[in-house]
């Protein structure tokens, strides 16, 4: 059935930049948007929703999240707040808890987080594996993730598990061989944590190239804790996204600017680890495409809120409110190489968010306030 969403005070259409239509309407038919324009000219539809002057934006596209896990690391967070630094070492704690949990526990936990995201306006989320780190466990994590999203990512190269800590090259061979073979049927993407203490540049390149040969798209955790080769490897291999991008050289920025690789920034991680924020202004001014995502995970960024990350992007990283909204919607879609998400135009998916506010500006202007009134996902009000 068709649906008319009318009496929209401010409609944010997006595309290459934020576009605004006042006194607007949108017509949805099934899972797609079929008409956008002034409310006075809207065609008839089977059903009608009165937005009552609210602002309407595209659904948020969260292109980086780790949702399949068991347990939490609240004590680790408290230790950081008391002065300990973040090294990524706590990942192994979550691996142990995840391996010991049943499928029903893992699915229920991931589903709960997806529902949290939906209530906060996220209509598309990418979900990574990476807390199993064995052939069977990584395939299991991806099967569970696949029940919740089409955007699944194989992250067997998260860290080297304890049983391989003295044989990292053997683990790389496992990830690029039998583990990839088991994971590929359940994944769209492959990712590597390219960082000191995780995987070096040569290891990351080997794993990503194996993933490409298996038909997976490429993503990479790059330059989060230190400067390193991750961003340049992403550009070299044509990765869709280089994520974190906190410690960048001028050469890194130039490489991103001359490529199709999106710089996905994850300010929830910097907030939670008390680390320096990425310089989004520097990236945008150089011509780099920027996305924002939550990095939702139990260790370094246990937030499911894209509005919170948008507000951090404005307050801490030099983004304007318009740039931050674009990065959290159309930018996230670019990072997933999707042209049907993050925009409001005919042919796009009918993922829309009504705000309890007259303008999208309130997302950054009123941080922490629950401004999401109604979410339409695939044309269905949630």
């Amino acid at each position: 059935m068709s649906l008319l969403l009318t009496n929209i005070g401010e409609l944010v259409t997006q595309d290459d930049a934020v576009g605004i239509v006042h006194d607007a309407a949108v017509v949805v038919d099934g899972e797609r948007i079929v008409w956008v324009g002034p409310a006075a000219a809207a065609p008839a539809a089977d059903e009608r929703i009165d937005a009552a002057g609210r602002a309407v934006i595209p659904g948020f596209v969260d292109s980086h999240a780790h949702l399949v896990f068991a347990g939490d690391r609240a004590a680790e967070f408290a230790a950081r707040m008391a002065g300990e630094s973040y090294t990524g070492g706590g990942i192994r704690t979550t691996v142990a808890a995840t391996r010991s949990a049943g499928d029903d526990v893992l699915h229920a936990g991931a589903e709960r987080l997806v529902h949290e995201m939906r209530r906060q306006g996220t209509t598309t989320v990418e979900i990574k594996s990476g807390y199993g780190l064995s052939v069977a466990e990584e395939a299991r994590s991806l099967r569970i993730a696949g029940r919740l999203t089409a955007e699944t990512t194989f992250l067997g190269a998260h860290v080297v598990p304890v049983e391989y800590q003295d044989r990292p090259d053997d683990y790389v061979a496992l990830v690029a061989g039998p583990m990839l073979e088991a994971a590929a049927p359940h994944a769209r993407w492959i990712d590597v944590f390219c960082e000191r203490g995780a995987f070096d540049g040569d290891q990351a390149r080997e794993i990503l190239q194996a993933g490409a040969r298996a038909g997976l798209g490429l993503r990479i955790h790059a330059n989060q804790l230190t400067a390193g080769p991750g961003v340049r490897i992403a550009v070299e291999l044509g990765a869709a996204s280089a994520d974190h991008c906190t410690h960048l050289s001028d050469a890194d920025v130039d490489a991103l600017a001359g490529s199709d690789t999106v710089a996905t920034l994850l300010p929830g991680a910097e907030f939670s680890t008390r680390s320096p924020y990425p310089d989004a202004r520097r990236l945008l001014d150089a011509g780099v495409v920027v996305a924002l995502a939550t990095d939702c995970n139990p260790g370094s960024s246990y937030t499911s809120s894209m509005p919170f990350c948008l507000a951090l992007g404005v307050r801490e990283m030099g983004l304007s409110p318009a740039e931050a909204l674009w990065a959290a919607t159309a930018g996230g879609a670019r990072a997933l190489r999707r042209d049907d998400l993050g925009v409001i135009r005919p042919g796009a998916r009918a993922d829309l968010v009504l705000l309890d506010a007259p303008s999208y500006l309130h997302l950054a202007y009123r941080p922490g306030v629950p401004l999401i009134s109604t979410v339409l996902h695939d044309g269905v009000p949630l």
Side-chain angles (χ1 to χ4, degrees), residues 295-320:
D295 191 18
C296 183
N297 76 82
S300 61
S301 183
Y302 203 5
T303 179
S304 57
S305 175
M306 285 291 279
F308 173 64
C309 292
L310 183 152
L312 287 177
V314 173
R315 175 64 179 83
E316 302 291 349
M317 301 196 305
L319 294 172
S320 71

Side-chain angles (χ1 to χ4, degrees), residues 8-29:
I8 300 168
E10 176 185 277
L11 178 69
V12 182
T13 57
Q14 307 280 52
D15 209 348
D16 290 328
V18 167
I20 303 293
V21 181
H22 294 286
D23 301 318
V26 177
V27 177
V28 170
D29 194 345

Side-chain angles (χ1 to χ4, degrees), residues 97-121:
T98 302
R99 287 177 173 181
S100 65
D103 288 11
D104 55 343
V105 171
L106 296 179
H107 180 267
E111 186 176 46
R112 173 182 61 81
L113 290 169
V114 169
H115 287 166
E116 276 187 14
M117 291 174 164
R118 291 275 189 270
R119 291 195 299 271
Q120 297 173 90

Side-chain angles (χ1 to χ4, degrees), residues 14 16-18 280-285 290-292 310 313-314 317-332 360-361:
Q14 307 280 52
D16 290 328
V18 167
R281 181 81 268 138
R282 177 190 182 197
L283 289 165
L284 285 178
D285 289 348
V290 169
L292 286 173
L310 183 152
V314 173
M317 301 196 305
L319 294 172
S320 71
E323 290 165 341
L325 179 59
W326 192 94
T329 52
Y360 76 91
L361 294 171

